[in-house]
Amino acid sequence: MERIAVLPERERGVCCPPTIRLRPEKVAGTSEILKALADPTRLQMAIALRDAKEPLCICDFTATFDLSQPTVSHHMAKLKEAGLVEVTKRGIWSFYRLAPDLPAAGRRILEAIS
Amino acid sequence: MERIAVLPERERGVCCPPTIRLRPEKVAGTSEILKALADPTRLQMAIALRDAKEPLCICDFTATFDLSQPTVSHHMAKLKEAGLVEVTKRGIWSFYRLAPDLPAAGRRILEAIS
DNA sequence: GCAACGCATTGACGATTGTCAATGGGTATG
DNA sequence: CATACCCATTGACAATCGTCAATGCGTTGC
């Protein structure tokens, strides 16, 4: 990612379409992950799960954020749909943790955010 | 980001709200960056700019994607609003490049995606 | 059995988003 | 001046999103 200094010389009517190296499925998957993390609440939830020593439940986040329980549940479902999060039920609780089989793209993004 | 093995013991009515270490402004800024990258078209545009040896103009992307020029222009404006992209006008062209003063968060995220 | 708890789902609402057609402004060429 | 090119802005539209109230379901404790 080095600095680009000069502007290219261009001729009228001639464009330089960049070649897209990424496969469409890869683009879709990555943008799904990004979309899941692009909401402030979900971003904080994901970071909390990333940094947590133990799995967390919905009620933990309901206590943290000023949001209703259905809303928190809805956000967590989005993280799960994106493959970022995994759930284990025990008793009346649903424990959430970061997906252990997180794809490399997701892992790198999660490590990049702060 | 090590594996979490065991589930915590919980008591009814007692939750364990995670402590949010991130400042609210930081959360807002990062989620703005993520939101800007969360669209498939903008994701590909950002990656193209990241990997390009020279700045690119709007018409380059209009040729690449099957989208109207206003739409491409609109997407580029979103990347610019998020501080990811910088524009230099010369003649009839507007040349876009990755922002040289990209905040660390943005740079790490951009390097993480693929 | 019954009440309380934790959670997911549904339905509804305003807000935001992605897209295009239409338009206008600036710049080069003839 | 007139035309062609590149680009940004506006207005409009359907689609999606974030949120909550209401509801239902499974589990635990009395």
Short mmCIF file of all heavy atoms in Angstrom, two decimals, chain A residues 14-51:
data_model
loop_
_atom_site.label_atom_id
_atom_site.label_comp_id
_atom_site.label_asym_id
_atom_site.label_seq_id
_atom_site.Cartn_x
_atom_site.Cartn_y
_atom_site.Cartn_z
N VAL A 14 -10.94 7.04 -23.74
CA VAL A 14 -10.26 5.78 -23.44
C VAL A 14 -10.12 5.63 -21.93
O VAL A 14 -9.44 6.44 -21.29
CB VAL A 14 -8.87 5.72 -24.09
CG1 VAL A 14 -8.18 4.41 -23.73
CG2 VAL A 14 -8.98 5.89 -25.59
N CYS A 15 -10.77 4.63 -21.37
CA CYS A 15 -10.69 4.42 -19.93
C CYS A 15 -9.79 3.23 -19.61
O CYS A 15 -9.39 2.48 -20.51
CB CYS A 15 -12.09 4.19 -19.35
SG CYS A 15 -13.10 5.69 -19.37
N CYS A 16 -9.44 3.09 -18.36
CA CYS A 16 -8.56 2.02 -17.92
C CYS A 16 -9.25 1.19 -16.84
O CYS A 16 -8.88 1.27 -15.67
CB CYS A 16 -7.25 2.57 -17.38
SG CYS A 16 -6.41 3.66 -18.53
N PRO A 17 -10.23 0.40 -17.25
CA PRO A 17 -10.98 -0.38 -16.25
C PRO A 17 -10.05 -1.31 -15.49
O PRO A 17 -9.30 -2.07 -16.11
CB PRO A 17 -11.98 -1.17 -17.11
CG PRO A 17 -11.45 -1.11 -18.50
CD PRO A 17 -10.70 0.15 -18.61
N PRO A 18 -10.08 -1.24 -14.17
CA PRO A 18 -9.21 -2.11 -13.38
C PRO A 18 -9.67 -3.56 -13.49
O PRO A 18 -10.86 -3.82 -13.63
CB PRO A 18 -9.40 -1.58 -11.95
CG PRO A 18 -10.76 -0.99 -11.96
CD PRO A 18 -10.94 -0.41 -13.33
N THR A 19 -8.73 -4.47 -13.45
CA THR A 19 -9.09 -5.88 -13.47
C THR A 19 -9.46 -6.32 -12.07
O THR A 19 -8.74 -6.08 -11.11
CB THR A 19 -7.92 -6.73 -13.97
OG1 THR A 19 -6.79 -6.49 -13.14
CG2 THR A 19 -7.58 -6.38 -15.40
N ILE A 20 -10.63 -6.97 -11.95
CA ILE A 20 -11.11 -7.44 -10.65
C ILE A 20 -10.61 -8.87 -10.47
O ILE A 20 -11.02 -9.78 -11.17
CB ILE A 20 -12.64 -7.39 -10.59
CG1 ILE A 20 -13.13 -5.98 -10.89
CG2 ILE A 20 -13.12 -7.85 -9.22
CD1 ILE A 20 -12.68 -4.94 -9.92
N ARG A 21 -9.73 -9.04 -9.51
CA ARG A 21 -9.13 -10.36 -9.30
C ARG A 21 -10.01 -11.25 -8.43
O ARG A 21 -9.90 -12.47 -8.48
CB ARG A 21 -7.74 -10.23 -8.65
CG ARG A 21 -6.70 -9.61 -9.56
CD ARG A 21 -5.38 -9.45 -8.84
NE ARG A 21 -4.44 -8.65 -9.63
CZ ARG A 21 -4.49 -7.35 -9.77
NH1 ARG A 21 -5.44 -6.66 -9.15
NH2 ARG A 21 -3.62 -6.71 -10.53
N LEU A 22 -10.84 -10.65 -7.63
CA LEU A 22 -11.64 -11.43 -6.67
C LEU A 22 -12.79 -12.16 -7.35
O LEU A 22 -13.46 -11.60 -8.21
CB LEU A 22 -12.20 -10.50 -5.60
CG LEU A 22 -11.58 -10.62 -4.22
CD1 LEU A 22 -10.08 -10.39 -4.31
CD2 LEU A 22 -12.24 -9.68 -3.26
N ARG A 23 -13.03 -13.39 -6.93
CA ARG A 23 -14.18 -14.13 -7.41
C ARG A 23 -15.46 -13.52 -6.81
O ARG A 23 -15.45 -13.04 -5.67
CB ARG A 23 -14.10 -15.59 -6.97
CG ARG A 23 -12.88 -16.32 -7.50
CD ARG A 23 -13.08 -17.82 -7.38
NE ARG A 23 -13.78 -18.18 -6.14
CZ ARG A 23 -13.16 -18.35 -4.97
NH1 ARG A 23 -11.85 -18.21 -4.89
NH2 ARG A 23 -13.84 -18.68 -3.91
N PRO A 24 -16.53 -13.53 -7.58
CA PRO A 24 -17.79 -12.91 -7.12
C PRO A 24 -18.27 -13.46 -5.78
O PRO A 24 -18.77 -12.71 -4.94
CB PRO A 24 -18.77 -13.26 -8.23
CG PRO A 24 -17.93 -13.45 -9.45
CD PRO A 24 -16.63 -14.02 -8.97
N GLU A 25 -18.13 -14.78 -5.58
CA GLU A 25 -18.59 -15.36 -4.30
C GLU A 25 -17.77 -14.81 -3.14
O GLU A 25 -18.29 -14.53 -2.06
CB GLU A 25 -18.46 -16.89 -4.30
CG GLU A 25 -18.81 -17.54 -5.62
CD GLU A 25 -17.58 -17.75 -6.48
OE1 GLU A 25 -16.67 -18.46 -6.05
OE2 GLU A 25 -17.53 -17.17 -7.59
N LYS A 26 -16.49 -14.64 -3.38
CA LYS A 26 -15.61 -14.08 -2.36
C LYS A 26 -16.03 -12.65 -2.02
O LYS A 26 -16.09 -12.26 -0.86
CB LYS A 26 -14.16 -14.11 -2.84
CG LYS A 26 -13.15 -13.64 -1.83
CD LYS A 26 -12.78 -14.72 -0.85
CE LYS A 26 -11.85 -14.20 0.22
NZ LYS A 26 -10.63 -14.96 0.38
N VAL A 27 -16.33 -11.89 -3.06
CA VAL A 27 -16.80 -10.52 -2.85
C VAL A 27 -18.07 -10.52 -2.02
O VAL A 27 -18.20 -9.77 -1.04
CB VAL A 27 -17.04 -9.82 -4.19
CG1 VAL A 27 -17.73 -8.48 -3.98
CG2 VAL A 27 -15.74 -9.62 -4.94
N ALA A 28 -19.01 -11.38 -2.38
CA ALA A 28 -20.28 -11.43 -1.67
C ALA A 28 -20.07 -11.81 -0.21
O ALA A 28 -20.63 -11.20 0.70
CB ALA A 28 -21.22 -12.42 -2.36
N GLY A 29 -19.25 -12.83 0.00
CA GLY A 29 -19.01 -13.28 1.37
C GLY A 29 -18.35 -12.22 2.23
O GLY A 29 -18.79 -11.97 3.36
N THR A 30 -17.32 -11.59 1.69
CA THR A 30 -16.62 -10.57 2.46
C THR A 30 -17.53 -9.39 2.75
O THR A 30 -17.53 -8.85 3.86
CB THR A 30 -15.37 -10.09 1.70
OG1 THR A 30 -14.53 -11.20 1.43
CG2 THR A 30 -14.61 -9.07 2.54
N SER A 31 -18.33 -8.99 1.79
CA SER A 31 -19.19 -7.84 2.04
C SER A 31 -20.31 -8.20 3.01
O SER A 31 -20.83 -7.33 3.72
CB SER A 31 -19.75 -7.28 0.73
OG SER A 31 -20.80 -8.07 0.26
N GLU A 32 -20.66 -9.48 3.08
CA GLU A 32 -21.62 -9.91 4.09
C GLU A 32 -21.03 -9.76 5.49
O GLU A 32 -21.69 -9.28 6.42
CB GLU A 32 -22.01 -11.37 3.85
CG GLU A 32 -23.19 -11.56 2.91
CD GLU A 32 -24.35 -10.66 3.24
OE1 GLU A 32 -24.84 -10.71 4.38
OE2 GLU A 32 -24.76 -9.87 2.36
N ILE A 33 -19.78 -10.17 5.62
CA ILE A 33 -19.10 -10.02 6.91
C ILE A 33 -18.99 -8.56 7.28
O ILE A 33 -19.28 -8.16 8.42
CB ILE A 33 -17.70 -10.67 6.84
CG1 ILE A 33 -17.83 -12.19 6.69
CG2 ILE A 33 -16.88 -10.31 8.08
CD1 ILE A 33 -16.50 -12.90 6.55
N LEU A 34 -18.59 -7.74 6.32
CA LEU A 34 -18.45 -6.31 6.59
C LEU A 34 -19.79 -5.70 6.96
O LEU A 34 -19.88 -4.87 7.86
CB LEU A 34 -17.85 -5.61 5.37
CG LEU A 34 -16.39 -5.95 5.09
CD1 LEU A 34 -15.97 -5.41 3.73
CD2 LEU A 34 -15.49 -5.37 6.18
N LYS A 35 -20.83 -6.12 6.27
CA LYS A 35 -22.16 -5.59 6.56
C LYS A 35 -22.59 -5.95 7.98
O LYS A 35 -23.22 -5.15 8.68
CB LYS A 35 -23.16 -6.11 5.53
CG LYS A 35 -24.42 -5.30 5.41
CD LYS A 35 -25.33 -5.85 4.31
CE LYS A 35 -24.63 -5.87 2.96
NZ LYS A 35 -25.51 -6.39 1.89
N ALA A 36 -22.24 -7.17 8.37
CA ALA A 36 -22.61 -7.60 9.72
C ALA A 36 -21.90 -6.76 10.77
O ALA A 36 -22.45 -6.50 11.85
CB ALA A 36 -22.27 -9.08 9.91
N LEU A 37 -20.69 -6.32 10.47
CA LEU A 37 -19.91 -5.56 11.45
C LEU A 37 -20.13 -4.05 11.32
O LEU A 37 -19.63 -3.30 12.15
CB LEU A 37 -18.42 -5.86 11.28
CG LEU A 37 -17.98 -7.29 11.61
CD1 LEU A 37 -16.53 -7.50 11.20
CD2 LEU A 37 -18.17 -7.57 13.09
N ALA A 38 -20.87 -3.63 10.33
CA ALA A 38 -20.95 -2.21 10.02
C ALA A 38 -21.92 -1.45 10.92
O ALA A 38 -22.02 -0.23 10.83
CB ALA A 38 -21.34 -2.02 8.56
N ASP A 39 -22.63 -2.14 11.77
CA ASP A 39 -23.53 -1.47 12.70
C ASP A 39 -22.83 -1.26 14.04
O ASP A 39 -22.16 -2.17 14.55
CB ASP A 39 -24.79 -2.31 12.90
CG ASP A 39 -25.72 -1.69 13.91
OD1 ASP A 39 -26.47 -0.78 13.55
OD2 ASP A 39 -25.68 -2.13 15.09
N PRO A 40 -22.93 -0.07 14.62
CA PRO A 40 -22.21 0.22 15.87
C PRO A 40 -22.47 -0.80 16.97
O PRO A 40 -21.54 -1.24 17.64
CB PRO A 40 -22.73 1.60 16.27
CG PRO A 40 -23.19 2.22 15.00
CD PRO A 40 -23.69 1.11 14.14
N THR A 41 -23.72 -1.19 17.13
CA THR A 41 -24.04 -2.17 18.17
C THR A 41 -23.38 -3.51 17.88
O THR A 41 -22.73 -4.10 18.75
CB THR A 41 -25.57 -2.36 18.27
OG1 THR A 41 -26.18 -1.10 18.56
CG2 THR A 41 -25.91 -3.34 19.36
N ARG A 42 -23.54 -3.99 16.66
CA ARG A 42 -22.95 -5.30 16.32
C ARG A 42 -21.43 -5.24 16.37
O ARG A 42 -20.78 -6.22 16.75
CB ARG A 42 -23.43 -5.74 14.94
CG ARG A 42 -24.87 -6.16 14.92
CD ARG A 42 -25.19 -6.96 13.67
NE ARG A 42 -25.04 -6.19 12.44
CZ ARG A 42 -26.02 -5.52 11.87
NH1 ARG A 42 -27.21 -5.51 12.42
NH2 ARG A 42 -25.82 -4.85 10.76
N LEU A 43 -20.86 -4.11 16.00
CA LEU A 43 -19.41 -3.97 16.08
C LEU A 43 -18.94 -4.15 17.52
O LEU A 43 -18.00 -4.90 17.80
CB LEU A 43 -18.99 -2.60 15.55
CG LEU A 43 -17.51 -2.27 15.62
CD1 LEU A 43 -16.68 -3.24 14.80
CD2 LEU A 43 -17.26 -0.85 15.13
N GLN A 44 -19.62 -3.50 18.44
CA GLN A 44 -19.23 -3.62 19.85
C GLN A 44 -19.50 -5.02 20.38
O GLN A 44 -18.72 -5.54 21.19
CB GLN A 44 -19.99 -2.58 20.68
CG GLN A 44 -19.62 -1.15 20.32
CD GLN A 44 -20.39 -0.13 21.13
OE1 GLN A 44 -20.07 0.18 22.27
NE2 GLN A 44 -21.46 0.41 20.54
N MET A 45 -20.58 -5.62 19.93
CA MET A 45 -20.85 -6.99 20.36
C MET A 45 -19.75 -7.92 19.86
O MET A 45 -19.26 -8.79 20.61
CB MET A 45 -22.21 -7.45 19.82
CG MET A 45 -23.38 -6.66 20.40
SD MET A 45 -24.99 -7.51 20.28
CE MET A 45 -25.04 -7.98 18.59
N ALA A 46 -19.36 -7.78 18.62
CA ALA A 46 -18.33 -8.66 18.06
C ALA A 46 -17.00 -8.46 18.78
O ALA A 46 -16.30 -9.44 19.08
CB ALA A 46 -18.16 -8.38 16.56
N ILE A 47 -16.66 -7.22 19.06
CA ILE A 47 -15.40 -6.96 19.77
C ILE A 47 -15.46 -7.53 21.18
O ILE A 47 -14.48 -8.11 21.67
CB ILE A 47 -15.11 -5.44 19.79
CG1 ILE A 47 -14.82 -4.94 18.38
CG2 ILE A 47 -13.95 -5.12 20.72
CD1 ILE A 47 -14.53 -3.46 18.29
N ALA A 48 -16.62 -7.38 21.81
CA ALA A 48 -16.76 -7.94 23.16
C ALA A 48 -16.59 -9.45 23.15
O ALA A 48 -15.93 -10.02 24.01
CB ALA A 48 -18.13 -7.56 23.73
N LEU A 49 -17.18 -10.10 22.14
CA LEU A 49 -17.03 -11.55 22.04
C LEU A 49 -15.59 -11.93 21.73
O LEU A 49 -15.07 -12.93 22.22
CB LEU A 49 -17.96 -12.09 20.94
CG LEU A 49 -19.44 -12.10 21.29
CD1 LEU A 49 -20.27 -12.56 20.10
CD2 LEU A 49 -19.70 -12.98 22.50
N ARG A 50 -14.95 -11.11 20.89
CA ARG A 50 -13.55 -11.38 20.54
C ARG A 50 -12.67 -11.33 21.78
O ARG A 50 -11.77 -12.16 21.96
CB ARG A 50 -13.07 -10.36 19.51
CG ARG A 50 -11.65 -10.58 19.05
CD ARG A 50 -11.11 -9.37 18.34
NE ARG A 50 -11.01 -8.21 19.23
CZ ARG A 50 -10.63 -6.99 18.85
NH1 ARG A 50 -10.36 -6.77 17.59
NH2 ARG A 50 -10.55 -6.02 19.73
N ASP A 51 -12.95 -10.38 22.65
CA ASP A 51 -12.08 -10.15 23.81
C ASP A 51 -12.54 -10.90 25.05
O ASP A 51 -11.84 -10.89 26.07
CB ASP A 51 -12.00 -8.65 24.12
CG ASP A 51 -11.42 -7.88 22.94
OD1 ASP A 51 -10.74 -8.52 22.11
OD2 ASP A 51 -11.65 -6.66 22.85
#
